[in-house]
Amino acid sequence: MKKLYYLLLAICCTLFVSCKDDAWGNGDPAMENIYYVGFEDWGQFKNDVTFEVKQGETVGIPVQFWCEFIRPYDVVTYYYVSGNLVRGADYEVVDAEGNVLSPDAGGAFSLTWEQAKKGVQNVYIKALNGNTGSFYVQTFDPDSDVELTNQDVSTTVNHATADYEVRVFTQNYRVTVNVVN
């Protein structure tokens, strides 16, 4: 009977003890305006997600933005396309209506997250009846000198302004697009 009493006492005590917040929700003001962007499908955390698009067709690639607050500003994130196929000859980056998008001077395409609201937007790739093959869509600049095997996400910045910083995950920064017949 005594053992049962102690067991019930232990259970009751655990019900009244609050859990410590984890590092993501610890109220640290330095982290308040730091957000994350990555592909919706994590592919077993190995950057091994593949999308297939047939010649003349368009594929949507879901990109997820993580933020737990609504802000008075919009957040801009970037994505890049790299590989052996040629944009404009083999494929195009387009919007939801099929309009061709152009990268900025650094080769980046942008997604805007109004009021920093978390959610998912698609990146659209249209195959142009050119060559078949593969290329990458990634949230990290392929020309960056940051080592992506480093697990310190403070070094994997996608975009930073005076108001916010957006980081990418090293295990979720790239997907492969295969253009097939």
Side-chain angles (χ1 to χ4, degrees):
M1 183 70 167
K2 212 175 201 184
K3 288 182 183 180
L4 181 61
Y5 172 76
Y6 287 120
L7 177 64
L8 288 174
L9 182 62
I11 291 172
C12 289
C13 287
T14 59
L15 292 175
F16 294 107
V17 174
S18 66
C19 297
K20 181 182 175 191
D21 286 342
D22 60 58
W24 293 87
N26 65 4
D28 181 358
M31 299 294 288
E32 191 170 293
N33 293 300
I34 295 177
Y35 313 115
Y36 294 88
V37 66
F39 294 98
E40 186 177 42
D41 185 348
W42 283 59
Q44 303 300 318
F45 303 101
K46 297 178 186 170
N47 292 303
D48 62 357
V49 175
T50 301
F51 291 86
E52 186 172 288
V53 60
K54 292 181 180 179
Q55 297 287 5
E57 294 184 3
T58 302
V59 64
I61 301 169
V63 176
Q64 188 168 2
F65 177 72
W66 286 270
C67 176
E68 294 304 318
F69 305 99
I70 294 176
R71 300 293 188 196
Y73 51 80
D74 296 342
V75 172
V76 176
T77 61
Y78 294 105
Y79 63 96
Y80 304 83
V81 181
S82 65
N84 295 328
L85 295 182
V86 178
R87 186 176 54 82
D90 301 320
Y91 69 91
E92 280 293 2
V93 178
V94 298
D95 64 15
E97 288 78 39
N99 301 308
V100 175
L101 301 176
S102 297
D104 66 14
F109 295 88
S110 64
L111 292 172
T112 301
W113 307 88
E114 293 182 14
Q115 295 182 305
K117 291 180 187 173
K118 70 179 172 183
V120 176
Q121 294 184 44
N122 281 330
V123 167
Y124 295 97
I125 303 294
K126 181 176 182 173
L128 295 179
N129 296 313
N131 292 315
T132 59
S134 300
F135 59 92
Y136 298 117
V137 177
Q138 55 194 66
T139 57
F140 202 80
D141 184 349
D143 296 329
S144 171
D145 59 356
V146 172
E147 180 61 44
L148 288 174
T149 57
N150 181 355
Q151 297 299 310
D152 180 8
V153 293
S154 69
T155 65
T156 59
V157 176
N158 176 278
H159 185 214
T161 70
D163 292 324
Y164 63 85
E165 180 176 296
V166 180
R167 298 175 180 175
V168 299
F169 301 105
T170 58
Q171 66 272 44
N172 183 26
Y173 75 93
R174 180 182 74 203
V175 298
T176 302
V177 177
N178 293 323
V179 177
V180 298
N181 286 323

